[in-house]
Amino acid sequence: MSMNLYPGFGLLLVDDEPSYLRSLSIALERSGGINHLHCCQDSRQVMDILARENIGLVTLDLTMPHLSGEALLRRIVEEHPDVGVIVISGLNQVETAVDCIKQGAFDYFVKTDEQSRLIEGIKRAIRLQELRQENLALRQRFLDDTLEHPEAFADIITDDKGMRSVFQYLESVAPSSQPLLIGGESGVGKELIARAAHALSGRHGPLVCVNAAGLDEGVFADTLFGHERGAFTGADRPRAGMVEQAADGTLFLDEIGDLNPASQVKLLRLLQDGEYYPLGSDRPKRARARIVVATHHDLEACQREGGFRKDLYYRLRTHQVQIPPLRRRRGDIPLLLDHFLAEAADELGKPRPTYPPELPVLLGTYAFPGNVRELRAMAYDAMSVHRSRTLSMAAFRRAIDPGLAGSEPSAEASIERHVFAPDEPLPTLHEVADLLVREALQRAEGNQSIASKLLGISQPALSKRVKKLRESGAEPL
């Protein structure tokens, strides 16, 4: 099985000492999981490699025969300004370091320094290069308003601009190995977004899904990290955890906001170190899966209130998307309704029905607290009792309860938030009533039956008000 390369761009190591190149390559792969490496001993070949390969970062020795590191630095900055350069020198000279930084080097290290400092510096430079490339790609996609891989989103039924922006962002960050945080209310389709992110990543491994809600510390550790034989009573044989099963793929942790504090610490260590210990083992294993998490909680508020670790929150939010609720993309309701009715009809062995044109209008007035999942349940329930050619609206009315089918948030909250200008006269009750009638008719697309239910009055009463509006010369819509 082919292994995923990290980072997505190549890292070119340039040094005339083959032993140093070999030791640095081994250290980067073992300690940093960095395996997308190119090595070069002859400084004269560097520019040809940059022209031929997708190189994003170069580590450059200063003292080399043929072409010095300083001369190479100037050429790389001039001809390949998008490539980052880290200078590694055998000399600890402040003036030389400052001069290299002025010329455009990202950082400067001395070979005699601790190797861990150098590796952390390289990892930091890789993250910054990834963010720069993602920003460029995202900006280009927004300017072009294009999707390079629309097939990755085929399972997500939408025609909403907000969702399209989410798709464009996912395409930009998909190659990254950094965590992805998916936020959104229950039922908006966060797992579908995780599947799309995995499909876009091009990773060879599988997508492994784990629901973190309700897992205590022991179960969480065993589920993610696995165990060795004899680790606890009943552990008769070793078992690979989900992290290992998702190797070279994606590990999706759903409902991450419900994770208990002890498990949050374990996840933080996994993200920080890239290593984990199976239960009962004293030998670490390197994680080769990308972490994608989802939650319906507001993690920023949770970490402010102390319910979620700040350091873990900032680790997880490197890349993040917020899926808009269905009430904010009402244009998707007819598309989703058609899809779910057809799906339910096929599953139940019934012909696909037609439905009254008022049905999408009625559903458009509902807040859908359960989002897409709730609409799907409505469609399946309506199809299960469907008998005639035209689908009845009765099942949808029962589910919605029109007396409570206001928009989100409640009408009372909307009124409380409305502030009248203190230096202007208040509108009369008659004027306010006319405004409410117009708003209800607009939301109901002119359907007086639905508009009257939104206003909590009978349809004849609404008809009288509409008639008075027309007699006064004002159009209700």
Side-chain angles (χ1 to χ4, degrees):
M1 184 179 68
S2 57
M3 181 181 294
N4 289 308
L5 294 177
Y6 173 74
F9 51 80
L11 172 58
L12 177 60
L13 312 179
V14 184
D15 199 296
D16 62 317
E17 298 180 22
S19 59
Y20 183 77
L21 285 177
R22 185 166 56 252
S23 65
L24 180 57
S25 299
I26 293 172
L28 286 171
E29 188 161 359
R30 287 182 178 176
S31 302
I34 301 168
N35 59 1
H36 196 172
L37 301 174
H38 301 262
C39 295
C40 179
Q41 294 176 229
D42 189 339
S43 58
R44 294 171 296 184
Q45 300 174 2
V46 170
M47 300 309 294
D48 289 337
I49 295 174
L50 292 179
R52 186 174 65 247
E53 304 288 345
N54 176 27
I55 303 296
L57 185 65
V58 177
T59 65
L60 192 61
D61 183 24
L62 276 188
T63 308
M64 293 183 293
H66 309 301
L67 190 62
S68 71
E70 290 184 80
L72 260 180
L73 173 61
R74 287 192 293 271
R75 288 194 61 184
I76 293 172
V77 170
E78 181 180 346
E79 298 180 29
H80 300 276
D82 294 338
V83 175
V85 180
I86 293 178
V87 174
I88 304 175
S89 173
L91 303 175
N92 188 3
Q93 296 179 344
V94 175
E95 290 184 5
T96 303
V98 171
D99 188 52
C100 289
I101 298 298
K102 285 182 177 179
Q103 290 186 50
F106 176 79
D107 214 335
Y108 184 100
F109 291 94
V110 180
K111 287 185 178 180
T112 55
D113 288 343
E114 293 182 8
Q115 197 171 60
S116 59
R117 290 186 61 240
L118 172 60
I119 292 173
E120 284 303 313
I122 291 175
K123 290 167 68 175
R124 185 166 58 250
I126 287 173
R127 286 195 292 269
L128 288 174
Q129 281 292 86
E130 286 178 335
L131 288 173
R132 187 191 63 79
Q133 291 184 1
E134 288 157 12
N135 288 335
L136 288 174
L138 184 60
R139 187 183 301 118
Q140 191 60 47
R141 284 188 176 90
F142 277 125
L143 288 174
D144 297 341
D145 194 25
T146 58
L147 289 175
E148 291 184 7
H149 302 284
E151 68 279 0
F153 308 101
D155 293 334
I156 304 174
I157 310 300
T158 183
D159 195 28
D160 181 70
K161 289 184 178 180
M163 290 295 289
R164 187 175 181 84
S165 297
V166 169
F167 296 167
Q168 291 171 328
Y169 179 81
L170 285 176
E171 284 194 336
S172 298
V173 304
S176 172
S177 62
Q178 298 300 311
L180 169 65
L181 171 60
I182 304 171
E185 298 177 4
S186 295
V188 293
K190 296 187 287 294
E191 184 171 339
L192 290 177
I193 294 295
R195 292 185 181 279
H198 173 67
L200 289 166
S201 71
R203 291 177 169 265
H204 307 296
L207 171 69
V208 177
C209 303
V210 181
N211 192 318
L215 295 182
D216 61 32
E217 180 185 359
V219 175
F220 178 80
D222 187 31
T223 301
L224 256 64
F225 308 139
H227 61 256
E228 297 293 328
R229 181 181 178 184
F232 50 84
T233 303
D236 300 327
R237 63 183 66 182
R239 186 183 69 82
M242 296 298 189
V243 177
E244 187 172 345
Q245 293 178 35
D248 297 320
T250 303
L251 178 64
F252 174 52
L253 300 176
D254 201 4
E255 300 302 346
I256 198 71
D258 296 323
L259 208 58
N260 64 63
S263 298
Q264 290 180 30
V265 174
K266 288 180 168 58
L267 179 59
L268 176 63
R269 288 174 180 167
L270 175 68
L271 292 172
Q272 284 181 333
D273 304 333
E275 294 181 339
Y276 64 96
Y277 290 85
L279 298 181
S281 174
D282 58 358
R283 293 184 178 180
K285 290 187 175 182
R286 174 150 293 278
R288 304 204 318 271
R290 187 194 189 184
I291 305 296
V292 176
V293 301
T295 181
H296 69 277
H297 293 291
D298 183 348
L299 285 193
E300 185 174 3
C302 290
Q303 61 90 14
R304 284 199 307 267
E305 297 163 2
F308 200 83
R309 292 183 64 96
K310 290 185 179 180
D311 43 7
L312 177 57
Y313 168 66
Y314 290 118
R315 280 279 179 179
L316 292 174
R317 60 165 290 181
T318 305
H319 304 303
Q320 57 180 327
V321 292
Q322 188 71 22
I323 312 305
L326 186 56
R327 64 179 173 274
R328 293 182 185 167
R329 46 188 179 106
R330 299 185 188 275
D332 285 346
I333 290 177
L335 299 175
L336 290 164
L337 179 64
D338 289 338
H339 174 75
F340 290 139
L341 288 176
E343 187 178 73
D346 292 343
E347 186 173 318
L348 296 170
K350 295 183 177 182
R352 299 186 183 187
T354 58
Y355 52 79
E358 307 93 89
L359 179 56
V361 179
L362 173 67
L363 295 175
T365 66
Y366 182 53
F368 280 103
N371 292 289
V372 178
R373 186 184 295 129
E374 184 180 9
L375 177 56
R376 182 180 186 275
M378 286 183 185
Y380 270 71
D381 181 52
M383 277 303 304
S384 65
V385 297
H386 173 60
R387 295 290 181 271
S388 61
R389 181 174 299 176
T390 302
L391 189 70
S392 172
M393 292 175 57
F396 294 95
R397 291 187 185 278
R398 283 197 306 271
I400 289 176
D401 188 1
L404 301 176
S407 59
E408 181 75 19
S410 66
E412 290 85 354
S414 298
I415 293 171
E416 288 176 4
R417 284 204 316 271
H418 191 85
V419 178
F420 295 101
D423 56 345
E424 293 182 6
L426 288 171
T428 64
L429 287 176
H430 179 73
E431 290 170 338
V432 171
D434 290 347
L435 287 172
L436 283 172
V437 168
R438 290 193 181 95
E439 179 66 21
L441 286 170
Q442 184 175 354
R443 294 189 182 191
E445 298 182 13
N447 188 301
Q448 291 192 18
S449 175
I450 296 174
S452 63
K453 290 181 173 64
L454 290 175
L455 293 169
I457 61 177
S458 66
Q459 185 172 345
L462 176 61
S463 296
K464 288 182 180 179
R465 290 184 176 274
V466 171
K467 184 178 180 182
K468 287 181 179 179
L469 277 173
R470 285 175 175 157
E471 288 175 350
S472 65
E475 284 298 322
L477 276 177

